[in-house]
Amino acid sequence: MTKPEGELTWRDLEIGSIVTEAGNASQYQTGDWRSERPIFDNNKCIKCGLCYIFCPEGCIGQNAEGYFDADLFYCKGCGICARECWPKAISMVPEEE
Amino acid sequence: MAKRVGIEVSLAIAEAAKLARADVVAAYPITPQTHIVEHLAKLVADGEMDTQYIPVESEHSAMSACLGASAAGARTFTATAGQGLELMHEVMYVASSMQLPVVMTVVNRALSAPLSVWGDHSDVMAVRDTGWIQIFAENGQETVDNVLCAFRIGEDRRVLLPVMIHLDGFYLSHVIEPVLFPEQSQVDKFIPPYQHPMPLHPDRPVTMGAFGPPIIYAETKKAQEVNLEASKEVILQCWDEFGKTFKRYYSPVESYHSEKAKVLLLTMGSFGETAMTAIDKMRGEGREVGLIRLRLWRPFPFKEIRQAVKNAEALIVLDRALSFGGPGGPVCSEIKAALYGEDKKPKVIGFVGGLGGRDITPAGFEEIINRGIEISQKGSENEFEIFGVRE
């Protein structure tokens, strides 16, 4: 797609709204569904990777130091990472804070 | 040279699909459509038709298989009726919004309950808003001609929309009629090969029917609406070209003795022929009555309808379906909507009749017209009546 979705007019659409570009689901910002976001406390983190394994969105990644963080463009704020993190290194905070 | 054949209309429809060289047929039999798919199956089994015939387990699957075939670039045909059409319902929206030009004959049948295999327009009216082009046929010849036109219209690059041809169950589907069949070479010339511009193909992958979040859905619907509206021009061009080639002419709205008539009756489908007999008789008695036959149902021919009825004092609309708890018949309510903003317009009187295969004879049409005039004079046209119902 040449334009972001929010700028496309009805005239810009392909026949039958066909999508011609592969993999453009990555442009879809699911992050704006979120009401709470995960905060990672690296002092408690033991780098076990459970948050990474359980994240249904696949948006948690590991940085060079081995700690984890969520890509907030995609994170829907489901809180599964915080629930599964047994050292309690992840807490969910409301978006407005 | 065209061949004139005495043939059951259902069989003639199958022959028309053969003439159009349909690549794929996916259909499920249901009365009164059965003879169409039976004959298609026979033509394919006998090797007379080079077509992939897909027997499916339901109409929902029939339409789904048609979508896949059409999306892969195959010329696709199917047929159904009544309950079968209702079972297809949700998939029909997908065909139109994905712009897949499936052609389907709908042998109009009443809906259960009570169970009725007989004809009326309840099935059609329930799929009114599915975004298909919809044409009503009055006789066997019209059905065959419009099946051929449907492929050309639907597959046109400027259109790419599915098309339904409606014909009345039993009244048309099971009648034996002389039908003129064009030569194969003429049909080949009239319907160019189907080429979807972006079909499903491994060499050029595309996604059809993708997720449409709120940020884009309204735009897709606006595009669909503009496209269906614009298809009218192509339909008119096709009928014009058909007339030049085959000497049979079609228009969205047909007028019969309507020019100076004070009172007009409006019908759709096969009832037009019986109504004409009634009009002839009444005109012979000096009555100023005429008939309007609505052929193109979607896109709705606003301009032609307004033009056809503007000089009449009363317009009596006969619906063969009931919008329960609503304004009566769906056709009548659309005609009223089309005329509402006009300065010069007739009073519109609605009747619902011919439900579930109940016949309306020429004398019946006369009665409808006389009763309609009475209602218009009393000024009680906001009510509708069910014609012939026993009180």
Side-chain angles (χ1 to χ4, degrees), chain B residues 104-124:
Chain B
M104 171 159 71
T105 47
V106 180
V107 188
N108 306 141
R109 162 181 162 172
L111 297 176
S112 291
L115 185 121
S116 170
V117 296
W118 293 275
D120 75 22
H121 295 166
S122 308
D123 58 354
V124 196

Side-chain angles (χ1 to χ4, degrees), chain A residues 5-11 13-22 28 33, chain B residues 97-99 196-198 206-208 210-211 213 215-216 219-220 222-223 226:
Chain A
E5 248 179 349
E7 289 170 26
L8 286 175
T9 73
W10 63 269
R11 286 189 177 84
L13 300 175
E14 297 283 3
I15 286 161
S17 307
I18 284 173
V19 179
T20 52
E21 188 187 338
Y28 185 43
W33 301 11
Chain B
S97 49
M98 280 171 38
Q99 292 196 247
H196 192 285
M198 279 183 272
V206 293
T207 304
M208 292 185 177
F211 180 64
I215 202 165
I216 200 72
E219 283 69 25
T220 68
K222 165 85 181 184
V226 170

Side-chain angles (χ1 to χ4, degrees), chain A residues 13-87:
Chain A
L13 300 175
E14 297 283 3
I15 286 161
S17 307
I18 284 173
V19 179
T20 52
E21 188 187 338
N24 74 348
S26 65
Q27 293 168 20
Y28 185 43
Q29 185 182 358
T30 47
D32 63 3
W33 301 11
R34 201 175 51 243
S35 61
E36 290 185 326
R37 66 178 186 278
I39 301 291
F40 293 73
D41 182 351
N42 292 347
N43 293 325
K44 291 183 183 170
C45 178
I46 60 163
K47 302 180 183 175
C48 69
L50 272 185
C51 56
Y52 163 80
I53 290 167
F54 275 96
C55 174
E57 200 57 36
C59 73
I60 295 180
Q62 198 172 16
N63 63 22
E65 293 160 33
Y67 293 111
F68 291 86
D69 210 351
D71 183 339
L72 295 178
F73 186 81
Y74 300 116
C75 173
K76 295 170 179 169
C78 68
I80 291 174
C81 55
R83 187 185 165 106
E84 296 298 331
C85 179
W86 59 272

Side-chain angles (χ1 to χ4, degrees), chain B residues 21-93:
Chain B
R21 298 188 190 277
D23 297 310
V24 173
V25 173
Y28 191 84
I30 181 169
T31 306
Q33 153 267 34
T34 316
H35 292 180
I36 300 173
V37 294
E38 244 174 31
H39 194 62
L40 281 166
K42 186 178 185 307
L43 289 172
V44 175
D46 291 351
E48 287 181 48
M49 194 173 170
D50 183 18
T51 299
Q52 184 73 43
Y53 187 96
I54 311 175
V56 283
E57 76 280 16
S58 75
E59 285 84 358
H60 193 280
S61 302
M63 186 46 66
S64 302
C66 285
L67 294 198
S70 187
R75 176 167 290 164
T76 309
F77 180 79
T78 187
T80 192
Q83 307 299 132
L85 187 66
E86 299 318 309
L87 188 52
M88 281 182 179
H89 195 108
E90 60 158 331
V91 195
M92 294 174 67
Y93 285 88

